[in-house]
Amino acid sequence: MLLERKSYLAFVMLGMIAPVNGLALPYLIGAYNLSLSWAGLLFFAGSLGYITASATYPLLQRLLAVRQLLAVGAVLTAGGLLVLPLMPNWWLVLVASYVVGMGSSVIDVGFNALIADLESERAKPAMNWLHFAFSIGALAGPIVMSRLALWTGQWMVMFWLGTVLFILFTIIWLQTQTVVEDTETSEGSHSQAPSVYSHWGFWLLFAAMFVYCGAETALAGWITTYLASEMSVSVDTAAFGLSLLWGGLTVGRALGGKFSNYLDTKIMLLLLFGGSAISTAVVVAVPNVWSAFITIFLTGFFFSVIFPALMLHGAAMFPKSASIISGGLITSAGLGALVMPALLGFVAEKASLAVGILIVAGLLLVSVGISAALPTERSLTPQQGQTARM
């Protein structure tokens, strides 16, 4: 249980720093005299760092044991957050954001892989509680950081809070000598990578993760604007919709942690993708903002367990390749988060945000078909997983 507890702590911290760029962006725009297009590169640089680390994680694991690699990720995250608001020009800020993205991604991929590689009865609830911990951090982060900035009068403390958190985590993580036992030899993990990537099942999981994370990021980024512009409510009222999206996601993950052992992951994916497709489409069909709030909450609820279910299903399909699956799926998540918010903005400019949201709903519906093509979890024995890698 010690591994799980430390992974939950790490994910609460990841959740807390997740909104820091958005919260600090107005201050950064003023400090560096930026246009909105240049300011947007902050998110791009962080996402690029995330994708770089997740795509290369199996190679990084050849150089360092998991315990040391996760400590390096925490140090990179802490250091990047420390120097980012102190940089003399915008290009160096982007470099620091890239470093933060890399460090955060190492932590994300590493703990997802470690949890996914546990025995099934232990892994299922732990994976859901892991992402529940992230949701708790994401809910608490904006409140804590905004209060700190107000009390101190310094916007830079929003970044430095993350520095303190991840320095503390590094110390806590390294104090325990026997928390992690590498379940994959670096040479074996590397040799399995080509066979995993050549298997059709991996690419089904990759596509489903791309759609899920793209849809979640796109809706989180645009739902406030949609409610304010197309339902004619104040921005303050519209912003409540974003809180409800995260609230539904948090509630769903809490329930997932309790009941995940009772459902096959394929059945969960069918239900969750189907439910999220319907609720996302209904958002643009309801007559008033209060009805929209209910459907937004339901969308977050259906989104909640998709990420851990995809990760667990990948681990069941490819036993002994947890870090490869974790790195590949988190790379897919990063690509979705890069592409789909921009796609939604493009469609909104050419047509409307309502049309863009309906396209997102359609892609979620496609993911129902993708999930249907996956084997059932109970049909995957270790021997079948080994065959899948050949």
Side-chain angles (χ1 to χ4, degrees):
M1 293 297 292
L2 188 56
L3 172 60
E4 287 98 314
R5 292 190 188 116
K6 294 199 173 186
S7 68
Y8 302 156
L9 177 62
F11 266 58
V12 169
M13 293 179 180
L14 282 181
M16 289 191 72
I17 67 166
V20 67
N21 285 343
L23 290 170
L25 193 60
Y27 301 103
L28 290 166
I29 289 172
Y32 294 93
N33 193 26
L34 303 171
S35 66
L36 293 181
S37 59
W38 279 104
L41 289 176
L42 182 69
F43 303 103
F44 179 83
S47 296
L48 187 61
Y50 225 92
I51 293 169
T52 300
S54 61
T56 58
Y57 186 88
L59 297 177
L60 295 173
Q61 200 175 333
R62 297 181 69 197
L63 303 175
L64 291 171
V66 173
R67 180 169 167 271
Q68 286 75 34
L69 185 54
L70 289 172
V72 169
V75 170
L76 285 175
T77 305
L81 291 168
L82 174 66
V83 302
L84 190 150
L86 301 175
M87 289 300 188
N89 62 65
W90 184 239
W91 289 109
L92 291 176
V93 171
L94 297 181
V95 171
S97 181
Y98 179 85
V99 171
V100 173
M102 283 193 68
S104 301
S105 182
V106 167
I107 297 168
D108 196 348
V109 175
F111 279 114
N112 270 290
L114 288 171
I115 295 299
D117 207 48
L118 298 171
E119 61 273 17
S120 177
E121 294 298 310
R122 185 177 167 193
K124 278 189 172 183
M127 183 66 77
N128 286 289
W129 288 123
L130 184 71
H131 292 276
F132 173 75
F134 181 91
S135 302
I136 293 297
L139 285 172
I143 299 171
V144 175
M145 286 188 284
S146 61
R147 292 297 94 188
L148 276 176
L150 179 64
W151 292 336
T152 63
Q154 295 291 328
W155 60 270
M156 292 179 285
V157 299
M158 292 190 285
F159 291 98
W160 294 340
L161 172 64
T163 299
V164 173
L165 290 176
F166 280 98
I167 288 174
L168 289 174
F169 176 76
T170 304
I171 296 169
I172 293 169
W173 176 246
L174 290 177
Q175 276 183 340
T176 306
Q177 298 296 323
T178 59
V179 172
V180 179
E181 294 181 3
D182 289 350
T183 56
E184 305 171 24
T185 65
S186 58
E187 183 178 353
S189 174
H190 178 63
S191 65
Q192 291 162 7
S195 55
V196 170
Y197 295 151
S198 65
H199 191 270
W200 58 268
F202 170 80
W203 293 106
L204 289 178
L205 294 168
F206 191 95
M209 185 66 86
F210 178 93
V211 171
Y212 159 65
C213 280
E216 180 192 286
T217 307
L219 290 176
W222 287 101
I223 197 65
T224 300
T225 303
Y226 168 76
L227 294 173
S229 62
E230 302 201 18
M231 288 198 162
S232 301
V233 298
S234 69
V235 174
D236 288 342
T237 301
F240 187 55
L242 181 57
S243 297
L244 285 171
L245 183 71
W246 276 106
L249 196 142
T250 303
V251 170
R253 285 178 175 169
L255 292 175
K258 290 181 177 295
F259 299 108
S260 57
N261 277 328
Y262 301 103
L263 277 178
D264 186 286
T265 49
K266 176 178 176 175
I267 302 301
M268 291 177 66
L269 289 169
L270 290 170
L271 293 172
L272 295 170
F273 272 121
S276 62
I278 293 169
S279 60
T280 299
V282 171
V283 168
V284 302
V286 294
N288 58 63
V289 70
W290 299 110
S291 301
F293 281 162
I294 294 172
T295 54
I296 290 167
F297 177 87
L298 288 174
T299 298
F301 180 83
F302 285 118
F303 276 164
S304 59
V305 194
I306 293 177
F307 190 111
L310 287 169
M311 198 71 68
L312 288 166
H313 203 85
M317 289 182 69
F318 302 98
K320 300 184 180 178
S321 298
S323 68
I324 298 171
I325 293 299
S326 181
L329 293 185
I330 290 175
T331 298
S332 173
L335 290 171
L338 274 177
V339 172
M340 285 185 64
L343 174 64
L344 183 51
F346 176 79
V347 172
E349 185 175 335
K350 299 298 182 182
S352 69
L353 273 173
V355 171
I357 291 172
L358 287 174
I359 291 174
V360 171
L363 291 171
L364 289 166
L365 191 60
V366 169
S367 293
V368 176
I370 294 172
S371 301
L374 293 168
T376 60
E377 181 190 0
R378 290 184 176 87
S379 71
L380 294 169
T381 65
Q383 288 76 23
Q384 289 172 313
Q386 182 67 28
T387 301
R389 294 196 299 274
M390 292 181 180

